[in-house]
Amino acid sequence: MSTGLPPFLQVRGLARRFAEGAKPVFANVSFSLERGEFVCVIGHSGCGKTTILNILAGLDTATLGEVTMDGREVAGPSLDRGVVFQGHALMPWLSVRGNIAFGVRSRWPDWSRDKVNAHCQKYIDLVHLTGNETKKPSELSGGMKQRVGIARAFAIQPKMLLLDEPFGALDALTRGAIQEELVRICAETHQTVFMITHDVDEAILLADKILLMTNGPEARIAEVVVNTLPRERTRNDIHHHPHYYRIRNHLVDFLVHRSKLLQEGRAEEAANEDLPRVVRPGLEDGTVLGAGVTPLKQVR
Ligand SMILES: Nc1ncnc2c1ncn2[C@@H]1O[C@H](COP(=O)(O)OP(=O)(O)OP(=O)(O)O)[C@@H](O)[C@H]1O
């Protein structure tokens, strides 16, 4: 239901060009997130997903367009936004606790050592790393390192969490376990999340909305798929839901066929009305998606 307030995160008309005279990697990218929403973005390699995430993080600057979060323009990195990279990017000389404490001390410089440690412990426990506090990254498995990355991002209590394929390098079992932890932590903390993934099942498990990007150059968001599965879902039961395969087939069909057709301007051939809730942000006329998102088609 609309509150009449601007969305928590508003992205308008974003474009990024890396060389003078070259086509932009993506153009007219517009979307919004509400507080507490979990959004995944899916698109082929090179369409600009990481670049968009970096712009949201304040680590890169758009050639055109603007990003506002909580009413303020994003103009540089901030502890209001926590980032988890695929390669976890831990500081190898610091322990598990040290890696997490680093951001916590920056966020709350006045806190005592005991308070910092107690705060870190809460997040170490949350990601089930209790007992590993003094280990260095070299002593941890890939899954444990990724848990440290997640704990570090959550511990600064960011207004928004940005996840760049955080589970891409993990084996299927570890990935599943951490995905479920992420679902649990997000439910407990009502965290707002923007996440890149190549895995459609991961997107259906985690996301409230799935942004589908066409191929680059000049990639754009062609559809916003609203996940109609109940939010209380687990990896083990999700495929029993009657909508599961409809949503999954829609996403796979987009990646296999429609993303390319849309990039070639063949929007009519790419039309697909097989889902109950799909928003097409200004597919033909380039209308900016934002506060005025309109479901152009709702098929039941
Ligand atoms: N700093 C840069 N300088 C020049 N080109 C860049 C730079 N960063 C990204 N690019 C180019 O922009 C395009 C989009 O890159 P980006 O990493 O954002 O894509 P992606 O969708 O995240 O890809 P993947 O799924 O493979 O991670 C690529 O063609 C890449 O080579």
Side-chain angles (χ1 to χ4, degrees), residues 24-213:
V25 175
F26 52 84
N28 200 17
V29 164
S30 304
F31 59 91
S32 58
L33 259 81
E34 296 302 338
R35 209 181 285 273
E37 217 169 21
F38 197 125
V39 168
C40 278
V41 57
I42 288 185
H44 282 290
S45 187
C47 68
K49 302 178 297 294
T50 296
T51 307
I52 292 174
L53 182 137
N54 285 339
I55 293 170
L56 301 189
L59 300 169
D60 192 4
T61 308
T63 311
L64 277 177
E66 60 167 21
V67 179
T68 53
M69 190 185 85
D70 212 9
R72 299 172 74 169
E73 190 181 353
V74 171
S78 156
L79 291 166
D80 282 343
R81 292 177 293 278
V83 188
V84 180
F85 301 101
Q86 181 170 2
H88 32 77
L90 302 180
M91 288 172 274
W93 62 93
L94 293 180
S95 65
V96 167
R97 185 187 290 123
N99 265 283
I100 299 168
F102 189 84
V104 173
R105 280 195 292 267
S106 310
R107 178 78 154 165
W108 297 284
D110 300 337
W111 280 13
S112 68
R113 193 191 176 92
D114 283 352
K115 191 162 183 188
V116 169
N117 281 344
H119 186 82
C120 293
Q121 194 63 46
K122 181 175 151 194
Y123 289 89
I124 291 170
D125 296 345
L126 202 64
V127 296
H128 297 154
L129 280 176
T130 318
N132 295 284
E133 294 78 359
T134 57
K135 286 190 180 157
K136 297 276 168 57
S138 60
E139 300 172 80
L140 305 176
S141 70
M144 291 163 89
K145 284 184 207 162
Q146 207 54 293
R147 286 191 169 104
V148 180
I150 291 169
R152 180 175 61 176
F154 272 93
I156 57 167
Q157 296 180 345
K159 289 183 179 172
M160 184 167 64
L161 196 60
L162 300 162
L163 308 174
D164 191 352
E165 283 188 73
F167 313 128
L170 303 179
D171 66 88
L173 265 180
T174 312
R175 187 183 182 113
I178 304 186
Q179 281 170 346
E180 298 220 321
E181 276 171 31
L182 187 64
V183 171
R184 178 178 54 81
I185 299 170
C186 288
E188 282 174 19
T189 57
H190 306 287
Q191 182 68 54
T192 310
V193 186
F194 177 88
M195 172 168 161
I196 298 173
T197 181
H198 281 280
D199 180 339
V200 295
D201 295 307
E202 181 167 277
I204 302 172
L205 176 66
L206 297 173
D208 301 309
K209 284 192 316 206
I210 302 161
L211 312 183
L212 298 180
M213 284 189 75

Side-chain angles (χ1 to χ4, degrees), residues 192-248:
T192 310
V193 186
F194 177 88
M195 172 168 161
I196 298 173
T197 181
H198 281 280
D199 180 339
V200 295
D201 295 307
E202 181 167 277
I204 302 172
L205 176 66
L206 297 173
D208 301 309
K209 284 192 316 206
I210 302 161
L211 312 183
L212 298 180
M213 284 189 75
T214 61
N215 295 356
E218 297 183 309
R220 61 196 166 75
I221 292 171
E223 291 180 7
V224 181
V225 173
V226 180
N227 193 347
T228 46
L229 303 191
R231 223 177 180 191
E232 293 71 37
R233 48 190 184 252
T234 67
R235 273 187 338 125
N236 293 335
D237 66 22
I238 192 170
H239 54 283
H240 294 305
H241 193 278
H243 284 180
Y244 175 74
Y245 283 104
R246 287 173 80 191
I247 296 177
R248 191 177 193 284

